[in-house]
Amino acid sequence: MLVRERVSIDSKLKRIIWLLNERCNLNCRFCYVAGRFKNNNKELTLNEILKILDELVKLGIKRIDFTGGEVTLRGDLETILEETRKRGVEIITINTNGTLLSERIVEILAKNDVKVYLSVDGANRKTHESIRGIGTWDKIFKSAELLRSFDISFSTVFACGKINVNEVKGYIALSKELGSQKACIIPVLPVGRAKKDVILNREEIVDMLRQVESTADSIRFNTEIWCVPFAGLIINSPYVSYFGCRNLDEMDITPTGDVLLCDTVDISFGNVREGVYKVWKNLINSQLVLELLKTINSSPCNECPIKSICYGGCYARAKILADDIYAPDPMCPRVSSL
């Protein structure tokens, strides 16, 4: 069972999740970005991005995950990736729906040693296209083939809701078939275009975790669970990894430069235009964040065997589903009720 340990409050900034744009060529049912950042005229410019990169490097940043929207819609993506690599950032990734990948774009990714997360929301055409749109299924296979031909490391990402939860096993097998490095799975949150009627309940999440474990073990394929810090209560497999979401070594930046508590929680601690270091300090020294770290001291977290990893679970779910950001993760099987 692989885990990522929680870091201390004086930890340095190591990772950026950077939403480069809100714009996308698809209208996916599970999109958590749609409609949240409408001031596109305030989208960070290339010059602003390069200045922010300089500040991030000074803070010792090790990893930047570029996402959107659809990042390949940015005409300056090549420059952004090249300049990020030139500045010595060790790990660079992009998250893409894969429909716009061309040989030219993939060549740019290969040249800059960019890892790719490719969205796949079903184990078959009907389910995937019911979520992502007609014509998107075939493009998954074409994109995977293109990435393999340039020897680019990629992983698949499966946003899991009621519509596709029964296809978790098939999805993991498909990810391996595509030549992916690993299959990533994240439960849908009712944010952006996603509605509450598609999200999994507690029993469905537990069942999903059991499906993940049995499939990953049976086909011996690495699978990663995102945003389910309590997964270790269910899963004990060398092929499945998970991690806590209260690490203080990460910063989430929106297309317009705001720094959020989480890329699904619209609580801002300032804008990177004001200076990266200033906003980072606002985040880690805020009373809100300090109080979030205390969830571990309340029941049932204080007696949990994985409390040092989970640390209270997903506070976004607590805020959205329990209307209390300081509450334990309402989907954890140890939490009796919402």
Side-chain angles (χ1 to χ4, degrees):
M1 179 171 59
L2 305 176
V3 298
R4 185 174 74 184
E5 295 292 340
R6 180 187 165 269
V7 296
S8 63
I9 192 155
D10 59 353
S11 294
K12 294 181 179 179
L13 180 60
K14 296 178 182 177
R15 180 182 182 184
I16 301 295
I17 295 178
W18 198 335
L19 284 70
L20 284 178
N21 56 5
E22 182 180 351
R23 291 167 289 133
C24 188
N25 60 312
L26 301 182
N27 292 289
C28 303
R29 294 178 66 176
F30 291 169
C31 181
Y32 75 103
V33 174
R36 291 175 55 208
F37 314 110
K38 295 182 179 179
N39 296 322
N40 283 331
N41 60 316
K42 295 183 180 179
E43 188 176 276
L44 291 170
T45 66
L46 175 60
N47 286 338
E48 287 174 323
I49 287 172
L50 298 183
K51 180 178 181 294
I52 293 162
L53 283 172
D54 286 335
E55 294 180 52
L56 289 172
V57 169
K58 288 180 181 178
L59 288 175
I61 194 68
K62 303 298 183 185
R63 173 172 177 159
I64 299 181
D65 297 290
F66 292 114
T67 184
E70 175 52 44
V71 293
T72 58
L73 285 173
R74 279 202 69 130
D76 53 9
L77 180 63
E78 179 177 4
T79 303
I80 292 171
L81 296 177
E82 286 180 347
E83 293 298 324
T84 303
R85 179 57 65 201
K86 284 179 184 177
R87 283 160 173 76
V89 176
E90 294 177 8
I91 300 174
I92 306 171
T93 79
I94 67 162
N95 193 315
T96 177
N97 60 44
T99 61
L100 301 178
L101 288 184
S102 63
E103 189 166 314
R104 169 61 179 153
I105 291 174
V106 172
E107 186 178 13
I108 292 167
L109 299 178
K111 183 176 69 173
N112 293 287
D113 191 23
V114 177
K115 299 180 186 300
V116 173
Y117 288 102
L118 180 64
S119 295
V120 180
D121 283 343
N124 59 66
R125 180 190 301 273
K126 181 179 179 181
T127 303
H128 177 85
E129 293 192 347
S130 72
I131 296 169
R132 294 198 159 258
I134 301 298
T136 56
W137 177 252
D138 289 337
K139 291 179 180 179
I140 290 173
F141 295 89
K142 291 178 181 178
S143 293
E145 182 180 4
L146 197 53
L147 292 168
R148 292 195 308 269
S149 70
F150 279 81
D151 199 26
I152 292 176
S153 174
F154 72 96
S155 301
T156 60
V157 183
F158 182 84
C160 189
K162 289 184 184 295
I163 299 169
N164 58 0
V165 66
N166 292 329
E167 296 182 18
V168 168
K169 292 182 178 181
Y171 157 70
I172 297 173
L174 173 62
S175 183
K176 184 176 184 179
E177 176 190 334
L178 290 171
S180 167
Q181 181 184 42
K182 61 187 173 185
C184 304
I185 299 174
I186 180 171
V188 175
L189 274 172
V191 179
R193 195 176 287 121
K195 306 302 179 186
K196 284 189 176 182
D197 61 348
V198 302
I199 69 168
L200 304 177
N201 60 35
R202 185 184 297 117
E203 292 73 23
E204 289 167 331
I205 286 184
V206 170
D207 181 63
M208 178 200 75
L209 292 174
R210 288 175 175 148
Q211 288 186 58
V212 168
E213 181 175 40
S214 65
T215 308
D217 280 348
S218 65
I219 67 174
R220 298 183 178 182
F221 188 63
N222 290 331
T223 304
E224 191 168 270
I225 307 295
W226 294 356
C227 302
V228 188
F230 56 81
L233 293 172
I234 310 296
I235 292 175
N236 185 20
S237 167
Y239 296 103
V240 182
S241 61
Y242 69 97
F243 46 86
C245 61
R246 303 196 186 207
N247 297 335
L248 291 175
D249 60 354
E250 180 183 296
M251 189 161 68
D252 297 68
I253 304 175
T254 73
T256 56
D258 284 331
V259 171
L260 302 183
L261 178 64
C262 163
D263 62 357
T264 63
V265 179
D266 294 331
I267 297 175
S268 175
F269 295 87
N271 193 288
V272 285
R273 290 184 172 105
E274 306 166 17
V276 172
Y277 182 76
K278 175 183 177 182
V279 183
W280 170 240
K281 285 299 181 182
N282 288 346
L283 172 64
I284 63 173
N285 293 322
S286 71
Q287 192 61 37
L288 171 61
V289 169
L290 295 174
E291 289 297 322
L292 283 174
L293 296 177
K294 296 179 182 179
T295 303
I296 194 173
N297 297 321
S298 61
S299 179
C301 299
N302 57 347
E303 297 179 352
C304 181
I306 62 167
K307 62 182 180 181
S308 63
I309 300 164
C310 178
Y311 230 74
C314 176
Y315 48 78
R317 269 197 297 270
K319 180 179 186 296
I320 295 167
L321 302 181
D323 196 28
D324 181 3
I325 198 169
Y326 302 114
D329 192 328
M331 291 301 170
C332 173
R334 288 177 60 90
V335 178
S336 59
S337 62
L338 298 180

